[in-house]
Amino acid sequence: MKHPLLPRLLLLGLLLAGAGARADSGEDAAQDDWCATIARRLHSVSLAQCRKLDLAPPGARSNNGHALMVGDIAPAAKPVASGGSARAKAPRVLVIGGIHGDELTSASIVFRWLQWMDDPEASRYHWRIIPVANPDGLLADPPQRANANGVDLNRNFPTPDWERDAHSYWAKRTDRDPRRYPGDSAGSEIETRWLNEQIEDFQPDVIVSIHAPYSLLDYDGPARQPRRFGHLNLNRLGVYPGSLGNYGGLHKNMPVITIELPHATVMPPLREQKEIWQDMLTWMRRNIASQTRS
């Protein structure tokens, strides 16, 4: 005897499957559109390479309507003693590129690193990757440091000193440079709030933020500071009201590595890119992985 609910359950299953397929198709189309747009601006990134990276739109969009794309890469699964999980203990690394839209290499190198995630050393970590944190700035003509509202996102994080110091610092130390405008209020920008949400959700053990063109390493936070990645030597620049180093490294007590590439529009030689990558992984193994607890 047939169950009276069976036809309805089958129909419901088909409808849900179809909805899932449409959702997947929508996400694929969104990624294709985004990749095509980014590849036209970043000549070192091909459309085919971008499509392989499995980036996804989390729902947030910039002021100009560009998706804020993010990718999660889980660690390689390994059995561990006492019934634990390797994934539960894996250190979390948040990588942010392109927070300043005119620093094109800061986004391009993230796409290059994404191609090297099968490295056994890299596979011990849980990565969250944001290749382009400021798509409006990157896609402006010409590319611009600030977002579509003219706000420097790296001066807009809600640091404890923002209300007191952000505007006075901007006026006195930058002579009201419009490229460094911190915004009308802390966290006023969609992109800044979204980045903060990513930090709160992911709870990274280390944040890696890529910039250009000062050819150095900067560092804020509790772990032992790196001395050198590739040809980039440590040169601590201090913290600014509303900066990510201030917000993550000092306010939230999360290690924040700032990598300043030598040029904003010319990628380092491939050998140098690999040296930066390998030195970064070595530093994380010695200073982050060994400190992480489940």
Side-chain angles (χ1 to χ4, degrees), residues 183-237:
D184 294 335
S185 60
S188 61
E189 303 309 297
I190 292 171
E191 298 90 348
T192 313
R193 294 195 299 272
W194 179 73
L195 287 170
N196 191 29
E197 289 169 3
Q198 296 301 311
I199 293 170
E200 290 297 318
D201 173 68
F202 190 58
Q203 289 295 304
D205 296 293
V206 61
I207 299 172
V208 180
S209 180
I210 303 100
H211 289 263
Y214 293 116
S215 191
L216 55 85
L217 284 182
D218 196 1
Y219 179 77
D220 302 286
R224 188 177 69 175
Q225 63 190 18
R227 305 300 305 180
R228 180 186 179 106
F229 289 175
H231 295 157
L232 306 177
N233 292 307
L234 180 70
N235 183 1
R236 299 188 71 162
L237 301 176

Short mmCIF file of all heavy atoms in Angstrom, two decimals, residues 183-237:
data_model
loop_
_atom_site.label_atom_id
_atom_site.label_comp_id
_atom_site.label_asym_id
_atom_site.label_seq_id
_atom_site.Cartn_x
_atom_site.Cartn_y
_atom_site.Cartn_z
N GLY A 183 36.45 59.08 7.26
CA GLY A 183 35.00 58.90 7.29
C GLY A 183 34.34 59.83 8.29
O GLY A 183 35.00 60.47 9.11
N ASP A 184 33.03 59.91 8.20
CA ASP A 184 32.28 60.77 9.11
C ASP A 184 32.19 60.18 10.52
O ASP A 184 32.05 60.91 11.49
CB ASP A 184 30.87 61.00 8.57
CG ASP A 184 30.87 61.80 7.28
OD1 ASP A 184 31.84 62.55 7.06
OD2 ASP A 184 29.92 61.67 6.50
N SER A 185 32.25 58.87 10.60
CA SER A 185 32.20 58.20 11.90
C SER A 185 32.90 56.86 11.78
O SER A 185 33.09 56.33 10.67
CB SER A 185 30.75 58.00 12.36
OG SER A 185 30.03 57.20 11.43
N ALA A 186 33.30 56.29 12.90
CA ALA A 186 33.97 54.99 12.90
C ALA A 186 33.04 53.92 12.37
O ALA A 186 31.87 53.85 12.75
CB ALA A 186 34.42 54.64 14.31
N GLY A 187 33.54 53.09 11.46
CA GLY A 187 32.72 52.01 10.91
C GLY A 187 31.58 52.51 10.05
O GLY A 187 30.57 51.82 9.90
N SER A 188 31.73 53.68 9.46
CA SER A 188 30.64 54.25 8.66
C SER A 188 30.44 53.53 7.33
O SER A 188 29.38 53.64 6.72
CB SER A 188 30.91 55.74 8.38
OG SER A 188 32.13 55.90 7.66
N GLU A 189 31.46 52.77 6.87
CA GLU A 189 31.43 52.23 5.51
C GLU A 189 30.99 50.77 5.48
O GLU A 189 31.32 49.98 6.36
CB GLU A 189 32.80 52.38 4.87
CG GLU A 189 33.29 53.81 4.83
CD GLU A 189 32.25 54.76 4.25
OE1 GLU A 189 31.90 54.60 3.07
OE2 GLU A 189 31.78 55.66 4.99
N ILE A 190 30.24 50.44 4.44
CA ILE A 190 29.78 49.06 4.25
C ILE A 190 30.94 48.09 4.31
O ILE A 190 30.89 47.05 4.97
CB ILE A 190 29.05 48.92 2.90
CG1 ILE A 190 27.73 49.70 2.91
CG2 ILE A 190 28.81 47.45 2.55
CD1 ILE A 190 27.07 49.79 1.55
N GLU A 191 32.02 48.41 3.60
CA GLU A 191 33.15 47.49 3.50
C GLU A 191 33.83 47.29 4.85
O GLU A 191 34.20 46.17 5.19
CB GLU A 191 34.17 48.02 2.48
CG GLU A 191 33.63 48.15 1.06
CD GLU A 191 33.01 49.53 0.78
OE1 GLU A 191 32.78 50.30 1.76
OE2 GLU A 191 32.76 49.83 -0.39
N THR A 192 33.96 48.38 5.62
CA THR A 192 34.59 48.25 6.94
C THR A 192 33.73 47.39 7.87
O THR A 192 34.24 46.52 8.59
CB THR A 192 34.78 49.64 7.58
OG1 THR A 192 35.35 50.53 6.63
CG2 THR A 192 35.68 49.55 8.79
N ARG A 193 32.43 47.64 7.86
CA ARG A 193 31.54 46.85 8.72
C ARG A 193 31.58 45.38 8.30
O ARG A 193 31.56 44.49 9.16
CB ARG A 193 30.11 47.39 8.65
CG ARG A 193 29.97 48.79 9.24
CD ARG A 193 28.51 49.14 9.48
NE ARG A 193 27.71 49.15 8.26
CZ ARG A 193 27.56 50.19 7.46
NH1 ARG A 193 28.19 51.34 7.73
NH2 ARG A 193 26.79 50.13 6.39
N TRP A 194 31.62 45.13 7.00
CA TRP A 194 31.67 43.74 6.52
C TRP A 194 32.98 43.07 6.95
O TRP A 194 32.98 41.91 7.39
CB TRP A 194 31.51 43.71 5.01
CG TRP A 194 31.58 42.33 4.44
CD1 TRP A 194 30.63 41.35 4.52
CD2 TRP A 194 32.67 41.75 3.71
NE1 TRP A 194 31.06 40.20 3.88
CE2 TRP A 194 32.31 40.43 3.38
CE3 TRP A 194 33.91 42.25 3.29
CZ2 TRP A 194 33.14 39.58 2.65
CZ3 TRP A 194 34.75 41.40 2.57
CH2 TRP A 194 34.36 40.08 2.26
N LEU A 195 34.10 43.78 6.82
CA LEU A 195 35.38 43.21 7.27
C LEU A 195 35.35 42.91 8.76
O LEU A 195 35.85 41.88 9.21
CB LEU A 195 36.52 44.17 6.93
CG LEU A 195 36.91 44.27 5.46
CD1 LEU A 195 37.89 45.42 5.25
CD2 LEU A 195 37.51 42.96 4.96
N ASN A 196 34.75 43.81 9.52
CA ASN A 196 34.63 43.58 10.96
C ASN A 196 33.77 42.34 11.24
O ASN A 196 34.08 41.54 12.14
CB ASN A 196 34.03 44.81 11.63
CG ASN A 196 34.11 44.74 13.15
OD1 ASN A 196 35.02 44.12 13.70
ND2 ASN A 196 33.17 45.37 13.82
N GLU A 197 32.70 42.17 10.46
CA GLU A 197 31.87 40.97 10.62
C GLU A 197 32.67 39.71 10.32
O GLU A 197 32.50 38.68 10.99
CB GLU A 197 30.66 41.06 9.69
CG GLU A 197 29.63 42.09 10.13
CD GLU A 197 28.57 42.35 9.06
OE1 GLU A 197 28.62 41.67 8.00
OE2 GLU A 197 27.71 43.23 9.25
N GLN A 198 33.52 39.76 9.30
CA GLN A 198 34.36 38.60 8.97
C GLN A 198 35.31 38.27 10.12
O GLN A 198 35.51 37.11 10.46
CB GLN A 198 35.15 38.86 7.68
CG GLN A 198 34.31 39.04 6.43
CD GLN A 198 33.44 37.84 6.15
OE1 GLN A 198 33.92 36.70 6.17
NE2 GLN A 198 32.16 38.07 5.90
N ILE A 199 35.89 39.30 10.71
CA ILE A 199 36.78 39.08 11.86
C ILE A 199 36.02 38.47 13.03
O ILE A 199 36.48 37.50 13.65
CB ILE A 199 37.45 40.41 12.26
CG1 ILE A 199 38.41 40.90 11.16
CG2 ILE A 199 38.20 40.26 13.59
CD1 ILE A 199 38.93 42.31 11.37
N GLU A 200 34.85 39.01 13.32
CA GLU A 200 34.06 38.50 14.45
C GLU A 200 33.61 37.07 14.21
O GLU A 200 33.61 36.24 15.12
CB GLU A 200 32.84 39.41 14.68
CG GLU A 200 33.18 40.78 15.23
CD GLU A 200 33.82 40.71 16.60
OE1 GLU A 200 33.36 39.91 17.43
OE2 GLU A 200 34.80 41.45 16.83
N ASP A 201 33.21 36.77 12.98
CA ASP A 201 32.72 35.43 12.65
C ASP A 201 33.84 34.41 12.61
O ASP A 201 33.72 33.31 13.15
CB ASP A 201 31.99 35.47 11.31
CG ASP A 201 31.61 34.08 10.82
OD1 ASP A 201 30.74 33.45 11.46
OD2 ASP A 201 32.18 33.60 9.81
N PHE A 202 34.95 34.77 12.01
CA PHE A 202 36.04 33.81 11.77
C PHE A 202 36.97 33.68 12.97
O PHE A 202 37.55 32.61 13.18
CB PHE A 202 36.82 34.26 10.53
CG PHE A 202 37.80 33.26 10.02
CD1 PHE A 202 37.40 31.98 9.65
CD2 PHE A 202 39.15 33.60 9.89
CE1 PHE A 202 38.32 31.06 9.16
CE2 PHE A 202 40.07 32.69 9.40
CZ PHE A 202 39.66 31.41 9.03
N GLN A 203 37.13 34.73 13.76
CA GLN A 203 38.03 34.73 14.91
C GLN A 203 39.42 34.23 14.53
O GLN A 203 39.91 33.20 15.02
CB GLN A 203 37.44 33.89 16.05
CG GLN A 203 36.23 34.50 16.73
CD GLN A 203 36.59 35.80 17.46
OE1 GLN A 203 37.48 35.80 18.32
NE2 GLN A 203 35.90 36.88 17.13
N PRO A 204 40.10 34.96 13.66
CA PRO A 204 41.40 34.49 13.17
C PRO A 204 42.47 34.49 14.26
O PRO A 204 42.44 35.30 15.19
CB PRO A 204 41.74 35.50 12.07
CG PRO A 204 41.01 36.75 12.45
CD PRO A 204 39.73 36.27 13.07
N ASP A 205 43.42 33.57 14.12
CA ASP A 205 44.59 33.57 14.98
C ASP A 205 45.66 34.52 14.46
O ASP A 205 46.56 34.91 15.21
CB ASP A 205 45.17 32.14 15.07
CG ASP A 205 44.20 31.19 15.73
OD1 ASP A 205 43.95 31.37 16.94
OD2 ASP A 205 43.67 30.29 15.06
N VAL A 206 45.57 34.89 13.19
CA VAL A 206 46.45 35.89 12.61
C VAL A 206 45.73 36.51 11.41
O VAL A 206 44.99 35.83 10.70
CB VAL A 206 47.82 35.29 12.19
CG1 VAL A 206 47.66 34.20 11.14
CG2 VAL A 206 48.77 36.38 11.70
N ILE A 207 45.94 37.82 11.23
CA ILE A 207 45.42 38.54 10.07
C ILE A 207 46.60 38.97 9.23
O ILE A 207 47.58 39.54 9.74
CB ILE A 207 44.60 39.78 10.49
CG1 ILE A 207 43.40 39.38 11.34
CG2 ILE A 207 44.14 40.57 9.26
CD1 ILE A 207 42.65 40.55 11.95
N VAL A 208 46.53 38.68 7.93
CA VAL A 208 47.56 39.11 6.98
C VAL A 208 46.92 40.12 6.04
O VAL A 208 46.00 39.78 5.29
CB VAL A 208 48.14 37.93 6.18
CG1 VAL A 208 49.21 38.42 5.20
CG2 VAL A 208 48.71 36.88 7.13
N SER A 209 47.39 41.35 6.08
CA SER A 209 46.85 42.43 5.25
C SER A 209 47.93 42.88 4.29
O SER A 209 49.05 43.20 4.71
CB SER A 209 46.40 43.59 6.14
OG SER A 209 45.87 44.64 5.37
N ILE A 210 47.60 42.88 2.99
CA ILE A 210 48.61 43.20 1.97
C ILE A 210 48.37 44.59 1.42
O ILE A 210 47.25 44.98 1.12
CB ILE A 210 48.61 42.17 0.83
CG1 ILE A 210 48.83 40.75 1.39
CG2 ILE A 210 49.71 42.47 -0.17
CD1 ILE A 210 47.64 39.94 1.55
N HIS A 211 49.48 45.35 1.32
CA HIS A 211 49.47 46.71 0.82
C HIS A 211 50.65 46.91 -0.14
O HIS A 211 51.40 45.98 -0.43
CB HIS A 211 49.58 47.71 1.98
CG HIS A 211 48.35 47.80 2.83
ND1 HIS A 211 47.39 48.76 2.66
CD2 HIS A 211 47.93 47.03 3.87
CE1 HIS A 211 46.43 48.60 3.54
NE2 HIS A 211 46.73 47.54 4.29
N ALA A 212 50.83 48.12 -0.61
CA ALA A 212 51.96 48.55 -1.43
C ALA A 212 51.98 50.09 -1.34
O ALA A 212 50.95 50.71 -1.00
CB ALA A 212 51.79 48.08 -2.88
N PRO A 213 53.09 50.76 -1.62
CA PRO A 213 54.33 50.29 -2.25
C PRO A 213 55.56 50.49 -1.38
O PRO A 213 56.65 50.80 -1.91
CB PRO A 213 54.39 51.21 -3.46
CG PRO A 213 53.93 52.54 -2.93
CD PRO A 213 52.96 52.22 -1.80
N TYR A 214 55.51 50.34 -0.06
CA TYR A 214 56.62 50.75 0.80
C TYR A 214 57.70 49.69 0.99
O TYR A 214 58.71 49.95 1.65
CB TYR A 214 56.08 51.22 2.15
CG TYR A 214 55.28 52.48 2.04
CD1 TYR A 214 53.91 52.49 2.35
CD2 TYR A 214 55.86 53.65 1.61
CE1 TYR A 214 53.17 53.66 2.23
CE2 TYR A 214 55.12 54.82 1.48
CZ TYR A 214 53.78 54.82 1.79
OH TYR A 214 53.03 55.97 1.67
N SER A 215 57.52 48.50 0.44
CA SER A 215 58.54 47.46 0.44
C SER A 215 59.06 47.16 1.85
O SER A 215 60.26 47.27 2.15
CB SER A 215 59.72 47.88 -0.47
OG SER A 215 60.59 46.79 -0.69
N LEU A 216 58.14 46.73 2.73
CA LEU A 216 58.52 46.44 4.10
C LEU A 216 57.46 45.55 4.76
O LEU A 216 56.42 45.27 4.18
CB LEU A 216 58.69 47.74 4.91
CG LEU A 216 57.52 48.73 4.96
CD1 LEU A 216 56.50 48.38 6.04
CD2 LEU A 216 58.03 50.14 5.19
N LEU A 217 57.77 45.13 5.98
CA LEU A 217 56.81 44.44 6.84
C LEU A 217 56.46 45.36 8.00
O LEU A 217 57.34 46.03 8.55
CB LEU A 217 57.42 43.16 7.43
CG LEU A 217 57.58 41.92 6.57
CD1 LEU A 217 58.16 40.81 7.43
CD2 LEU A 217 56.27 41.51 5.98
N ASP A 218 55.21 45.36 8.36
CA ASP A 218 54.78 46.03 9.59
C ASP A 218 54.06 44.98 10.42
O ASP A 218 53.59 43.96 9.90
CB ASP A 218 53.85 47.20 9.25
CG ASP A 218 53.68 48.16 10.42
OD1 ASP A 218 54.29 47.93 11.48
OD2 ASP A 218 52.91 49.14 10.27
N TYR A 219 53.98 45.21 11.71
CA TYR A 219 53.39 44.20 12.59
C TYR A 219 52.79 44.84 13.83
O TYR A 219 53.38 45.75 14.41
CB TYR A 219 54.45 43.17 13.01
CG TYR A 219 53.89 42.11 13.93
CD1 TYR A 219 53.12 41.08 13.42
CD2 TYR A 219 54.10 42.18 15.30
CE1 TYR A 219 52.57 40.13 14.26
CE2 TYR A 219 53.55 41.23 16.15
CZ TYR A 219 52.78 40.21 15.62
OH TYR A 219 52.24 39.28 16.45
N ASP A 220 51.64 44.35 14.22
CA ASP A 220 50.99 44.75 15.47
C ASP A 220 50.39 43.50 16.10
O ASP A 220 49.81 42.67 15.42
CB ASP A 220 49.88 45.77 15.20
CG ASP A 220 50.40 47.01 14.49
OD1 ASP A 220 51.07 47.83 15.13
OD2 ASP A 220 50.15 47.14 13.28
N GLY A 221 50.50 43.39 17.42
CA GLY A 221 49.86 42.26 18.08
C GLY A 221 50.75 41.54 19.06
O GLY A 221 51.90 41.92 19.29
N PRO A 222 50.24 40.43 19.61
CA PRO A 222 50.88 39.79 20.75
C PRO A 222 51.97 38.77 20.41
O PRO A 222 52.81 38.50 21.27
CB PRO A 222 49.70 39.09 21.43
CG PRO A 222 48.76 38.77 20.30
CD PRO A 222 48.88 39.92 19.36
N ALA A 223 51.98 38.18 19.21
CA ALA A 223 52.96 37.14 18.91
C ALA A 223 54.33 37.76 18.62
O ALA A 223 54.46 38.98 18.44
CB ALA A 223 52.49 36.30 17.72
N ARG A 224 55.35 36.91 18.56
CA ARG A 224 56.69 37.40 18.22
C ARG A 224 56.69 37.97 16.81
O ARG A 224 56.22 37.32 15.87
CB ARG A 224 57.71 36.27 18.33
CG ARG A 224 59.15 36.76 18.19
CD ARG A 224 60.13 35.63 18.37
NE ARG A 224 60.07 34.70 17.25
CZ ARG A 224 60.89 33.66 17.11
NH1 ARG A 224 61.78 33.39 18.05
NH2 ARG A 224 60.78 32.86 16.07
N GLN A 225 57.22 39.16 16.64
CA GLN A 225 57.14 39.83 15.34
C GLN A 225 58.04 39.14 14.31
O GLN A 225 59.10 38.61 14.64
CB GLN A 225 57.54 41.30 15.49
CG GLN A 225 58.97 41.50 15.95
CD GLN A 225 59.25 42.94 16.31
OE1 GLN A 225 58.35 43.73 16.53
NE2 GLN A 225 60.53 43.31 16.37
N PRO A 226 57.62 39.11 13.06
CA PRO A 226 58.48 38.58 12.00
C PRO A 226 59.60 39.57 11.71
O PRO A 226 59.43 40.79 11.89
CB PRO A 226 57.53 38.45 10.81
CG PRO A 226 56.49 39.50 11.04
CD PRO A 226 56.33 39.60 12.52
N ARG A 227 60.73 39.07 11.27
CA ARG A 227 61.85 39.94 10.95
C ARG A 227 61.99 40.20 9.45
O ARG A 227 62.41 41.27 9.03
CB ARG A 227 63.17 39.34 11.46
CG ARG A 227 63.19 38.99 12.92
CD ARG A 227 62.95 40.17 13.83
NE ARG A 227 63.88 41.27 13.60
CZ ARG A 227 63.88 42.41 14.27
NH1 ARG A 227 62.96 42.62 15.21
NH2 ARG A 227 64.76 43.35 14.01
N ARG A 228 61.57 39.20 8.67
CA ARG A 228 61.81 39.33 7.23
C ARG A 228 60.97 38.31 6.48
O ARG A 228 60.92 37.15 6.87
CB ARG A 228 63.30 39.10 6.94
CG ARG A 228 63.73 39.21 5.49
CD ARG A 228 65.20 38.81 5.39
NE ARG A 228 65.68 38.86 4.02
CZ ARG A 228 66.48 39.80 3.53
NH1 ARG A 228 66.89 40.78 4.32
NH2 ARG A 228 66.87 39.77 2.28
N PHE A 229 60.27 38.74 5.44
CA PHE A 229 59.62 37.85 4.48
C PHE A 229 60.21 38.17 3.11
O PHE A 229 60.00 39.27 2.57
CB PHE A 229 58.11 38.09 4.41
CG PHE A 229 57.32 37.65 5.62
CD1 PHE A 229 55.96 37.93 5.69
CD2 PHE A 229 57.90 36.97 6.68
CE1 PHE A 229 55.20 37.53 6.78
CE2 PHE A 229 57.16 36.58 7.78
CZ PHE A 229 55.80 36.87 7.83
N GLY A 230 60.94 37.22 2.54
CA GLY A 230 61.60 37.51 1.27
C GLY A 230 62.57 38.66 1.44
O GLY A 230 63.41 38.66 2.35
N HIS A 231 62.44 39.69 0.59
CA HIS A 231 63.29 40.88 0.69
C HIS A 231 62.66 41.97 1.56
O HIS A 231 63.23 43.06 1.66
CB HIS A 231 63.56 41.45 -0.70
CG HIS A 231 64.37 40.53 -1.57
ND1 HIS A 231 64.35 40.59 -2.95
CD2 HIS A 231 65.21 39.51 -1.26
CE1 HIS A 231 65.14 39.66 -3.44
NE2 HIS A 231 65.67 38.99 -2.44
N LEU A 232 61.52 41.69 2.13
CA LEU A 232 60.81 42.70 2.92
C LEU A 232 61.25 42.60 4.38
O LEU A 232 61.03 41.58 5.04
CB LEU A 232 59.30 42.49 2.82
CG LEU A 232 58.72 42.44 1.40
CD1 LEU A 232 57.21 42.16 1.47
CD2 LEU A 232 58.99 43.73 0.64
N ASN A 233 61.85 43.66 4.90
CA ASN A 233 62.32 43.68 6.27
C ASN A 233 61.33 44.39 7.18
O ASN A 233 60.60 45.29 6.74
CB ASN A 233 63.67 44.40 6.35
CG ASN A 233 64.78 43.62 5.67
OD1 ASN A 233 64.98 42.44 5.95
ND2 ASN A 233 65.49 44.26 4.75
N LEU A 234 61.33 44.01 8.45
CA LEU A 234 60.44 44.62 9.42
C LEU A 234 60.80 46.09 9.62
O LEU A 234 61.96 46.45 9.83
CB LEU A 234 60.53 43.89 10.76
CG LEU A 234 59.63 44.44 11.87
CD1 LEU A 234 58.17 44.12 11.57
CD2 LEU A 234 60.04 43.86 13.22
N ASN A 235 59.79 46.94 9.54
CA ASN A 235 59.95 48.37 9.82
C ASN A 235 58.62 48.85 10.40
O ASN A 235 57.71 49.22 9.67
CB ASN A 235 60.29 49.14 8.55
CG ASN A 235 60.52 50.62 8.80
OD1 ASN A 235 60.43 51.08 9.94
ND2 ASN A 235 60.79 51.36 7.75
N ARG A 236 58.50 48.80 11.70
CA ARG A 236 57.23 49.10 12.34
C ARG A 236 56.91 50.58 12.21
O ARG A 236 57.68 51.45 12.64
CB ARG A 236 57.25 48.64 13.80
CG ARG A 236 57.47 47.14 13.93
CD ARG A 236 57.31 46.65 15.34
NE ARG A 236 55.92 46.67 15.76
CZ ARG A 236 55.47 45.98 16.81
NH1 ARG A 236 56.29 45.22 17.51
NH2 ARG A 236 54.20 46.05 17.15
N LEU A 237 55.76 50.86 11.62
CA LEU A 237 55.38 52.22 11.29
C LEU A 237 54.51 52.88 12.36
O LEU A 237 54.16 54.05 12.24
CB LEU A 237 54.62 52.23 9.95
CG LEU A 237 55.39 51.67 8.75
CD1 LEU A 237 54.49 51.64 7.52
CD2 LEU A 237 56.64 52.49 8.48
#
